[in-house]
Amino acid sequence: MTFACAFAVITVSHVFHLGTDLSSLAVHVLLGLGVMYALGLLDSLMLRGTPVNSLSKVVHVSSFASLLWTLTVLVGILADAVFAKSSTDYVVAGMMLAAGLRVGIFTSVFGASLRRAVVICMVLPLVFFLAFVPPQSWSILANPAGIGFGALFVALAITWSALADRSGRPQVQSTFRLLQAFLSAWTENKPGGVEEIIEVKAHDELVTTSVMRLRSAAKEIAIVLPDVHPGPFGTVGGSNLSYVLFEKFSKRALVLHSISGHSLNIPSKREVDRYIAGLGGLVRKDAGNTASEPVQIRHGNATVTAIAFGNTALVMLSLAPKGMEDVPQQVREELESYASSLRLDLLLADCHNALGGLLDDSDRNDLVAAAKSCLGNLKNAQQHEFAAGFASLGDVSHGLGGAAELGQSGLAAVVFKIAGKNYAIAWADANNMENSLRDKVIARSGETTVLEVCTSDTHATSGKRTREGYFALGAASSQGAIADAYAEIFRLACGRIETCAFEVSLATAKVKVMGEEQFEDYSSALDRSMNITKAFVGMTFAAFIAMQVLAS
């Protein structure tokens, strides 16, 4: 793109604006393209030490700057035809417009200071201009309209850079620094910058982690409910928390999504380590070797599934196939209070298994009503000795390959045998699910009754160019292949069933979490920056149109 646009600038300028002959064009095409190549390397050297700098990004800047220059000289042909004139101002104005774009990108994306960006921005366009324009035509640099409109384009870029960077103040000191840190984490897997920014604004919070261990003679299975949220995105902070916990429990665990929102994101790897260290203080809350048969209640759009283990109820909330965002804390508080009145301890999981919007009042009431009904049924339910088996994606043959939706933990399932029947809880280390997938998994489960299909809500797979910013499970991979993989996992887990006892433990740790205000601050800074950008794009476009009319 860089060389195609450079070639177009040279050719159009020579043929339509400068009026040179074919031999001059041929010489200057070769000279101009050679200079463009060399100056791309020079750009990279001059930007050395900026937070986000790589040759590929420099080439992208050259591409779009050359594209703007190409559009300017092409539109100039139309303007000359419409207004019956012949102007060389478009060649100079196009050079300055390209320089203005470079100012904006070098300050916002690369992290160059405004003074440094202004100096660097003119080097490539000016030297390229001197390379492809014959010396006898260099005088067009003095044309008032071309240099005047060109200077206006650069001035608009400089002013935009100064205002947009300050748009988030006082909450966000530098919008550009935030952008650069995000890009480093997203494109270069360097989360340190963005973690430093969000950790400074984070606050200490006392968080709990509930763990149910299912112990047989030889092995242990864990069901883990961390009361922190796996975010904010990609490689940053606690985004990969589900795999960290999966590995912590010997890769024989379901790390369910508790009732927690984005305000409970852990901001940095250091705080993740602090959180994991807190798991060494697990305190036993309940233990035994009996479980009730599962209870499942559907109320409106809500499906709630529950099993009692001794005095502890594991309750899973789902709004599939309608879907929803994270279950709010008010639901948890109401259900914990109700469970306490029944003298039951509560392990509450958000299945997070269908894409949807914020929970409305009707669906919230459905979830609460169904969950209370489940808990009421469990209060006096008969309990039996039980057995359990575990299997994961790494244990079976499957056709998923490197599924873009899956975190490092993949898929897994625990199968319980209670009163002679097999019941499975399926789990995926994924950020939500396509709305129809849950029912497909259940339909292909064979003789095992699948109680629920849950995701971890991992954010380690985020950073994709989709509306959600990630692929929900089943969006990029075959849903049939996923259902088949689960069927194999269930079959293998059934073959591994052993008599178990359970132990429910609780750990408490003080860690930093992001809080709500950070997201509001970043959103506000982004909104202001975008509004400023729209205004300056409008002014630049107006100046561009005026140039077509007034250039002589």
Side-chain angles (χ1 to χ4, degrees):
M1 181 177 168
T2 301
F3 289 112
C5 290
F7 177 80
V9 169
I10 298 168
T11 303
V12 172
S13 297
H14 273 256
V15 174
F16 293 97
H17 298 298
L18 301 176
T20 55
D21 56 34
L22 189 59
S23 60
S24 178
L25 171 62
V27 169
H28 287 93
V29 163
L30 293 175
L31 184 59
L33 294 181
V35 165
M36 177 64 73
Y37 175 78
L39 290 174
L41 300 176
L42 182 61
D43 265 352
S44 185
L45 290 173
M46 288 189 294
L47 289 163
R48 180 181 291 176
T50 53
V52 182
N53 179 25
S54 67
L55 188 57
S56 65
K57 289 183 175 63
V58 167
V59 171
H60 276 80
V61 177
S62 296
S63 299
F64 289 109
S66 298
L67 179 60
L68 273 183
W69 199 339
T70 302
L71 291 174
T72 304
V73 293
L74 286 173
V75 172
I77 298 172
L78 297 176
D80 282 355
V82 170
F83 297 108
K85 59 183 181 178
S86 178
S87 175
T88 58
D89 292 329
Y90 306 109
V91 181
V92 177
M95 174 185 71
M96 300 290 280
L97 185 58
L101 176 70
R102 285 160 59 83
V103 169
I105 296 178
F106 289 160
T107 53
S108 62
V109 175
F110 284 74
S113 67
L114 188 54
R115 182 179 301 176
R116 183 178 181 185
V118 170
V119 172
I120 299 173
C121 81
M122 283 303 303
V123 174
L124 186 149
L126 181 58
V127 177
F128 176 61
F129 173 92
L130 296 176
F132 82 80
V133 174
Q136 61 269 25
S137 299
W138 288 354
S139 59
I140 64 175
L141 284 170
N143 288 357
I147 200 68
F149 279 106
L152 177 59
F153 293 142
V154 174
L156 286 170
I158 293 172
T159 307
W160 171 83
S161 295
L163 294 179
D165 189 33
R166 293 164 171 78
S167 61
R169 294 183 179 179
Q171 290 82 8
V172 178
Q173 286 300 306
S174 172
T175 307
F176 290 170
R177 181 170 175 247
L178 182 65
L179 171 64
Q180 292 145 24
F182 168 78
L183 289 174
S184 290
W186 183 26
T187 65
E188 300 179 26
N189 198 25
K190 296 178 180 177
V194 72
E195 288 188 345
E196 181 183 344
I197 291 172
I198 61 180
E199 189 176 329
V200 167
K201 296 172 71 69
H203 66 275
D204 279 332
E205 185 88 13
L206 201 63
V207 300
T208 59
T209 303
S210 300
V211 180
M212 177 183 286
R213 289 187 172 99
L214 307 170
R215 289 178 169 148
S216 64
K219 294 182 178 178
E220 181 177 289
I221 304 165
I223 296 176
V224 187
L225 277 159
D227 284 349
V228 287
H229 195 270
F233 71 92
T235 59
V236 177
S239 297
N240 201 24
L241 183 64
S242 51
Y243 178 71
V244 173
L245 289 168
F246 184 73
E247 195 172 40
K248 169 76 175 175
F249 289 94
S250 305
K251 300 185 179 180
R252 291 177 56 81
L254 307 186
V255 184
L256 302 181
H257 180 42
S258 71
I259 311 305
S260 61
H262 291 270
S263 63
L264 293 173
N265 286 337
I266 299 178
S268 67
K269 294 291 189 299
R270 178 169 52 197
E271 290 299 309
V272 170
D273 292 341
R274 187 179 172 194
Y275 168 79
I276 294 297
L279 295 180
L282 282 167
V283 177
R284 189 170 74 172
K285 306 294 287 185
D286 194 9
N289 62 353
T290 61
S292 71
E293 293 183 71
V295 176
Q296 189 169 81
I297 302 291
R298 186 164 182 86
H299 195 289
N301 292 312
T303 302
V304 177
T305 307
I307 309 174
F309 296 86
N311 294 318
T312 302
L314 173 63
V315 179
M316 295 172 285
L317 310 179
S318 173
L319 214 65
K322 180 182 179 181
M324 64 176 172
E325 267 293 342
D326 300 326
V327 176
Q329 286 291 335
Q330 297 94 311
V331 171
R332 175 180 186 158
E333 291 165 3
E334 186 170 350
L335 292 180
E336 284 182 339
S337 175
Y338 184 74
S340 179
S341 73
L342 298 176
R343 296 185 179 180
L344 290 172
D345 291 326
L346 189 60
L347 299 180
L348 193 59
D350 174 1
C351 295
H352 214 263
N353 57 1
L355 291 164
L358 296 174
L359 195 67
D360 60 32
D361 289 342
S362 174
D363 289 333
R364 176 197 170 281
N365 292 336
D366 287 344
L367 277 175
V368 171
K372 286 183 176 181
S373 181
C374 282
L375 289 168
N377 288 341
L378 291 180
K379 170 60 180 171
N380 297 312
Q382 182 182 357
Q383 296 198 15
H384 314 267
E385 291 186 355
F386 71 97
F390 176 88
S392 63
L393 190 63
D395 298 325
V396 301
S397 298
H398 58 86
L400 290 178
E405 313 101 298
L406 283 176
Q408 291 173 270
S409 309
L411 309 176
V414 173
V415 175
F416 296 96
K417 187 168 188 176
I418 305 172
K421 297 179 182 178
N422 291 343
Y423 303 96
I425 299 175
W427 176 75
D429 191 17
N431 193 330
N432 221 318
M433 290 168 53
E434 284 292 297
N435 296 47
S436 60
L437 180 57
R438 172 185 178 270
D439 292 340
K440 288 181 181 178
V441 172
I442 292 173
R444 294 199 194 182
S445 60
E447 297 180 359
T448 302
T449 300
V450 177
L451 298 174
E452 201 49 91
V453 186
C454 305
T455 73
S456 64
D457 193 27
T458 181
H459 282 49
T461 58
S462 61
K464 307 294 192 300
R465 288 172 178 161
T466 67
R467 185 176 66 178
E468 291 84 12
Y470 59 86
F471 291 120
L473 186 64
S477 301
S478 162
Q479 294 191 17
I482 293 169
D484 288 342
Y486 270 125
E488 281 296 301
I489 290 170
F490 300 148
R491 183 189 61 77
L492 186 59
C494 286
R496 294 175 171 178
I497 285 177
E498 297 180 38
T499 301
C500 285
F502 75 87
E503 179 180 297
V504 178
S505 302
L506 190 70
T508 303
K510 183 177 283 188
V511 296
K512 286 188 175 180
V513 296
M514 287 184 65
E516 288 288 353
E517 288 187 0
Q518 287 210 54
F519 292 101
E520 294 170 3
D521 291 345
Y522 300 150
S523 177
S524 177
L526 176 63
D527 288 343
R528 292 182 209 163
S529 180
M530 287 303 297
N531 288 335
I532 290 170
T533 301
K534 289 174 185 176
F536 274 81
V537 167
M539 287 187 280
T540 302
F541 182 73
F544 188 84
I545 296 301
M547 179 182 67
Q548 314 307 318
V549 178
L550 300 176
S552 57

